[in-house]
Amino acid sequence: MYLEPSHRQIGSYLLIMSDGRTLDDVRIFLKSCEGADSQQRMKFYNSWAETYEQDTRMIKYRAAHLGVDLLNANFSVNPEEVRVLDVACGSGLVAKQMVELGFKHFVGVDGSQGMLALAAKTGLYEELKLALLGTEPLPAQTGAFDVVIIVGALDPGFVPVTIVRELCHAAKPGGLVCMSRGDHSGAAGQQYKKELERELQQMQEEGLWSQVGLKYTDRYMEDLHLDPERVQELQQEQRFISGTAYLYKKALH
Protein backbone atom coordinates (compact mmCIF):
# COMPACT_ATOMS: atom_id res chain seq x y z
CA MET A 1 0.00 0.00 0.00
CA TYR A 2 1.23 3.47 -0.88
CA LEU A 3 1.94 5.76 2.04
CA GLU A 4 2.36 9.36 1.04
CA PRO A 5 5.41 10.88 2.79
CA SER A 6 4.42 13.14 5.65
CA HIS A 7 5.63 16.73 5.86
CA ARG A 8 7.93 15.62 8.65
CA GLN A 9 9.42 12.89 6.49
CA ILE A 10 9.85 15.20 3.52
CA GLY A 11 11.42 17.83 5.72
CA SER A 12 13.94 15.32 7.04
CA TYR A 13 14.87 14.28 3.50
CA LEU A 14 15.45 17.88 2.52
CA LEU A 15 17.65 18.32 5.55
CA ILE A 16 19.68 15.27 4.62
CA MET A 17 20.03 16.56 1.08
CA SER A 18 21.37 19.91 2.18
CA ASP A 19 23.83 18.12 4.49
CA GLY A 20 25.34 15.26 2.53
CA ARG A 21 22.42 13.39 0.92
CA THR A 22 23.44 10.05 -0.54
CA LEU A 23 22.20 7.92 -3.40
CA ASP A 24 20.65 5.52 -0.89
CA ASP A 25 18.69 8.42 0.61
CA VAL A 26 17.32 9.23 -2.83
CA ARG A 27 16.41 5.58 -3.42
CA ILE A 28 14.44 5.42 -0.18
CA PHE A 29 12.69 8.71 -0.90
CA LEU A 30 11.63 7.73 -4.42
CA LYS A 31 10.50 4.26 -3.38
CA SER A 32 8.03 5.91 -1.01
CA CYS A 33 6.08 6.94 -4.12
CA GLU A 34 5.71 3.40 -5.49
CA GLY A 35 2.13 2.25 -5.88
CA ALA A 36 0.73 5.77 -5.89
CA ASP A 37 -2.09 6.77 -8.19
CA SER A 38 -1.62 9.75 -10.51
CA GLN A 39 -3.03 12.35 -8.09
CA GLN A 40 -0.92 11.08 -5.21
CA ARG A 41 2.11 11.16 -7.47
CA MET A 42 1.55 14.83 -8.27
CA LYS A 43 1.42 15.63 -4.55
CA PHE A 44 4.69 13.77 -4.22
CA TYR A 45 6.23 15.77 -7.07
CA ASN A 46 5.03 19.01 -5.51
CA SER A 47 6.91 18.07 -2.36
CA TRP A 48 9.96 16.97 -4.36
CA ALA A 49 10.21 20.08 -6.54
CA GLU A 50 12.72 21.97 -4.41
CA THR A 51 15.35 19.25 -4.66
CA TYR A 52 14.31 17.55 -7.89
CA GLU A 53 17.21 18.61 -10.11
CA GLN A 54 19.82 17.77 -7.49
CA ASP A 55 18.32 14.31 -7.08
CA THR A 56 18.07 13.64 -10.81
CA ARG A 57 21.75 14.49 -11.19
CA MET A 58 22.56 12.08 -8.38
CA ILE A 59 20.70 9.19 -10.01
CA LYS A 60 22.23 10.10 -13.41
CA TYR A 61 18.81 10.56 -14.99
CA ARG A 62 19.33 10.75 -18.79
CA ALA A 63 15.76 10.93 -20.11
CA ALA A 64 16.05 14.48 -21.43
CA HIS A 65 19.46 13.85 -23.03
CA LEU A 66 18.20 10.70 -24.73
CA GLY A 67 15.15 12.38 -26.25
CA VAL A 68 16.79 15.67 -27.22
CA ASP A 69 19.79 13.92 -28.80
CA LEU A 70 17.49 11.80 -30.97
CA LEU A 71 15.42 14.81 -31.96
CA ASN A 72 18.49 16.89 -32.80
CA ALA A 73 20.00 14.12 -34.93
CA ASN A 74 16.88 14.12 -37.11
CA PHE A 75 16.12 17.84 -37.24
CA SER A 76 16.89 20.02 -40.26
CA VAL A 77 14.62 23.07 -39.86
CA ASN A 78 15.75 26.39 -38.36
CA PRO A 79 15.03 25.79 -34.65
CA GLU A 80 14.46 29.49 -33.94
CA GLU A 81 11.13 29.37 -35.78
CA VAL A 82 9.90 26.16 -34.17
CA ARG A 83 7.11 25.85 -31.58
CA VAL A 84 7.79 23.13 -29.01
CA LEU A 85 5.23 21.50 -26.72
CA ASP A 86 7.09 20.08 -23.72
CA VAL A 87 4.72 17.56 -22.13
CA ALA A 88 5.40 16.50 -18.52
CA CYS A 89 7.94 19.31 -18.58
CA GLY A 90 8.85 19.06 -14.90
CA SER A 91 11.42 21.65 -13.88
CA GLY A 92 12.37 22.43 -17.49
CA LEU A 93 15.24 20.01 -18.13
CA VAL A 94 14.21 19.50 -21.76
CA ALA A 95 13.87 23.21 -22.55
CA LYS A 96 17.25 23.93 -20.93
CA GLN A 97 18.89 21.49 -23.34
CA MET A 98 16.90 22.47 -26.41
CA VAL A 99 17.57 26.20 -25.98
CA GLU A 100 21.29 25.43 -26.30
CA LEU A 101 20.51 24.01 -29.75
CA GLY A 102 18.73 27.19 -30.86
CA PHE A 103 15.11 26.42 -29.96
CA LYS A 104 13.31 29.43 -28.49
CA HIS A 105 9.56 28.90 -28.31
CA PHE A 106 8.32 26.53 -25.60
CA VAL A 107 4.96 25.72 -24.08
CA GLY A 108 5.08 23.42 -21.06
CA VAL A 109 2.48 21.10 -19.55
CA ASP A 110 2.76 19.27 -16.24
CA GLY A 111 0.50 17.85 -13.54
CA SER A 112 2.53 19.28 -10.67
CA GLN A 113 2.15 22.92 -9.68
CA GLY A 114 5.46 22.72 -7.84
CA MET A 115 7.27 21.58 -10.97
CA LEU A 116 5.61 24.27 -13.08
CA ALA A 117 6.84 26.86 -10.60
CA LEU A 118 10.39 25.64 -11.21
CA ALA A 119 9.85 25.66 -14.97
CA ALA A 120 8.60 29.24 -14.76
CA LYS A 121 11.83 30.29 -13.02
CA THR A 122 13.85 29.22 -16.08
CA GLY A 123 12.26 32.01 -18.13
CA LEU A 124 12.23 29.72 -21.15
CA TYR A 125 8.50 29.03 -21.48
CA GLU A 126 6.05 31.32 -23.24
CA GLU A 127 3.20 29.50 -21.49
CA LEU A 128 2.85 26.85 -18.79
CA LYS A 129 -0.29 24.78 -18.28
CA LEU A 130 -1.39 22.58 -15.39
CA ALA A 131 -3.02 19.29 -16.44
CA LEU A 132 -3.08 15.79 -14.98
CA LEU A 133 -2.75 13.74 -18.14
CA GLY A 134 -4.92 10.68 -18.31
CA THR A 135 -7.64 12.31 -16.26
CA GLU A 136 -7.68 15.61 -18.16
CA PRO A 137 -7.14 16.15 -21.90
CA LEU A 138 -3.82 17.51 -23.10
CA PRO A 139 -4.33 21.30 -23.12
CA ALA A 140 -3.01 21.89 -26.61
CA GLN A 141 -4.62 23.00 -29.84
CA THR A 142 -4.70 20.36 -32.56
CA GLY A 143 -1.98 20.77 -35.18
CA ALA A 144 -0.28 23.69 -33.41
CA PHE A 145 3.28 22.51 -32.69
CA ASP A 146 6.30 21.71 -34.84
CA VAL A 147 7.75 19.51 -32.08
CA VAL A 148 5.99 17.63 -29.29
CA ILE A 149 8.26 15.99 -26.74
CA ILE A 150 7.64 13.94 -23.60
CA VAL A 151 10.37 12.44 -21.41
CA GLY A 152 10.11 10.14 -18.45
CA ALA A 153 6.34 10.06 -17.97
CA LEU A 154 5.46 7.10 -20.17
CA ASP A 155 5.33 4.60 -17.33
CA PRO A 156 2.73 2.80 -15.21
CA GLY A 157 1.13 5.15 -12.71
CA PHE A 158 2.09 8.26 -14.66
CA VAL A 159 0.29 8.67 -17.98
CA PRO A 160 -1.68 6.03 -19.90
CA VAL A 161 -0.51 4.69 -23.25
CA THR A 162 -3.44 6.46 -24.92
CA ILE A 163 -1.73 9.82 -24.37
CA VAL A 164 0.43 9.22 -27.46
CA ARG A 165 -2.56 9.91 -29.70
CA GLU A 166 -3.01 13.27 -28.00
CA LEU A 167 0.67 14.03 -28.61
CA CYS A 168 0.17 13.27 -32.28
CA HIS A 169 -2.95 15.48 -32.47
CA ALA A 170 -1.01 18.42 -31.02
CA ALA A 171 1.70 18.20 -33.70
CA LYS A 172 1.43 20.03 -36.99
CA PRO A 173 1.21 17.93 -40.15
CA GLY A 174 4.81 16.96 -40.80
CA GLY A 175 5.73 17.80 -37.20
CA LEU A 176 7.84 15.58 -34.95
CA VAL A 177 6.79 13.70 -31.82
CA CYS A 178 9.62 12.55 -29.55
CA MET A 179 9.14 10.18 -26.60
CA SER A 180 11.82 9.07 -24.15
CA ARG A 181 11.30 6.53 -21.37
CA GLY A 182 13.11 4.11 -19.09
CA ASP A 183 12.80 0.37 -19.61
CA HIS A 184 11.86 -0.33 -16.01
CA SER A 185 11.94 -3.91 -14.80
CA GLY A 186 8.97 -5.69 -13.35
CA ALA A 187 5.78 -7.04 -14.88
CA ALA A 188 3.96 -3.69 -14.92
CA GLY A 189 6.82 -1.90 -16.69
CA GLN A 190 7.25 -4.65 -19.25
CA GLN A 191 3.52 -4.76 -19.95
CA TYR A 192 3.40 -0.98 -20.36
CA LYS A 193 6.24 -1.04 -22.89
CA LYS A 194 4.53 -3.82 -24.85
CA GLU A 195 1.24 -1.86 -24.96
CA LEU A 196 3.03 1.38 -25.84
CA GLU A 197 4.91 -0.12 -28.77
CA ARG A 198 1.73 -1.83 -29.94
CA GLU A 199 -0.04 1.54 -29.95
CA LEU A 200 2.84 3.27 -31.75
CA GLN A 201 2.75 0.58 -34.44
CA GLN A 202 -1.03 0.73 -34.69
CA MET A 203 -0.91 4.49 -35.26
CA GLN A 204 1.67 3.98 -37.99
CA GLU A 205 -0.54 1.39 -39.67
CA GLU A 206 -3.44 3.86 -39.48
CA GLY A 207 -1.32 6.36 -41.40
CA LEU A 208 -1.18 8.91 -38.56
CA TRP A 209 2.61 9.06 -38.51
CA SER A 210 5.80 7.27 -39.51
CA GLN A 211 8.83 6.40 -37.43
CA VAL A 212 11.95 8.40 -38.27
CA GLY A 213 14.23 7.51 -35.39
CA LEU A 214 14.90 5.16 -32.48
CA LYS A 215 17.64 5.50 -29.89
CA TYR A 216 18.65 3.15 -27.10
CA THR A 217 20.89 3.62 -24.08
CA ASP A 218 22.01 1.11 -21.48
CA ARG A 219 22.52 3.94 -18.96
CA TYR A 220 19.18 5.70 -18.67
CA MET A 221 19.34 6.12 -14.88
CA GLU A 222 20.53 4.35 -11.74
CA ASP A 223 18.46 1.28 -10.94
CA LEU A 224 16.65 2.35 -7.78
CA HIS A 225 15.52 -1.19 -6.97
CA LEU A 226 18.97 -2.62 -6.37
CA ASP A 227 19.77 -3.91 -2.93
CA PRO A 228 22.12 -1.26 -1.45
CA GLU A 229 24.27 -4.04 0.03
CA ARG A 230 24.82 -5.52 -3.44
CA VAL A 231 25.52 -2.30 -5.36
CA GLN A 232 29.24 -2.27 -4.60
CA GLU A 233 29.56 -5.83 -5.93
CA LEU A 234 28.14 -4.91 -9.34
CA GLN A 235 29.96 -3.68 -12.41
CA GLN A 236 29.22 -0.03 -13.24
CA GLU A 237 26.99 -0.92 -16.21
CA GLN A 238 24.93 -3.28 -14.03
CA ARG A 239 23.79 -0.42 -11.80
CA PHE A 240 21.68 1.21 -14.50
CA ILE A 241 18.40 0.55 -16.26
CA SER A 242 18.20 0.96 -20.01
CA GLY A 243 16.05 3.46 -21.87
CA THR A 244 14.52 4.02 -25.29
CA ALA A 245 13.60 7.12 -27.28
CA TYR A 246 11.14 7.06 -30.18
CA LEU A 247 10.75 9.73 -32.86
CA TYR A 248 7.75 9.94 -35.21
CA LYS A 249 6.77 12.33 -38.00
CA LYS A 250 3.09 13.19 -38.26
CA ALA A 251 1.48 12.51 -41.62
CA LEU A 252 0.94 15.50 -43.90
CA HIS A 253 -2.72 14.73 -44.59
Side-chain angles (χ1 to χ4, degrees), residues 144-156:
F145 294 90
D146 302 282
V147 172
V148 179
I149 185 167
I150 183 170
V151 303
L154 292 169
D155 288 303

Side-chain angles (χ1 to χ4, degrees), residues 75-85 98-99 101-107 126 143-147 172 175:
F75 203 82
S76 58
V77 181
N78 180 4
E80 294 185 2
E81 306 299 325
V82 166
R83 293 193 73 209
V84 179
L85 179 63
M98 292 185 70
V99 76
L101 299 173
F103 294 88
K104 292 185 175 181
H105 306 289
F106 300 95
V107 173
E126 297 174 353
F145 294 90
D146 302 282
V147 172
K172 292 179 179 179

Side-chain angles (χ1 to χ4, degrees), residues 1-2 4-5 9 18 33-34 39 43 55 91 108 121 124 135 142 146 159 172 174 188 205 209 214 237 249 253:
M1 184 176 70
Y2 172 73
E4 184 180 347
Q9 287 175 306
S18 63
C33 188
E34 290 182 358
Q39 291 188 344
K43 291 179 181 179
D55 273 11
S91 63
K121 289 180 181 179
L124 299 177
T135 61
T142 299
D146 302 282
V159 301
K172 292 179 179 179
E205 291 173 2
W209 61 15
L214 185 70
E237 60 272 13
K249 183 175 183 179
H253 54 81

Side-chain angles (χ1 to χ4, degrees), residues 2-14:
Y2 172 73
L3 296 176
E4 184 180 347
S6 69
H7 292 297
R8 181 177 300 176
Q9 287 175 306
I10 292 168
S12 68
Y13 281 121
L14 298 185

Side-chain angles (χ1 to χ4, degrees), residues 131-140 163 166:
L132 189 57
L133 303 179
T135 61
E136 303 172 73
L138 179 65
I163 193 65
E166 297 185 55

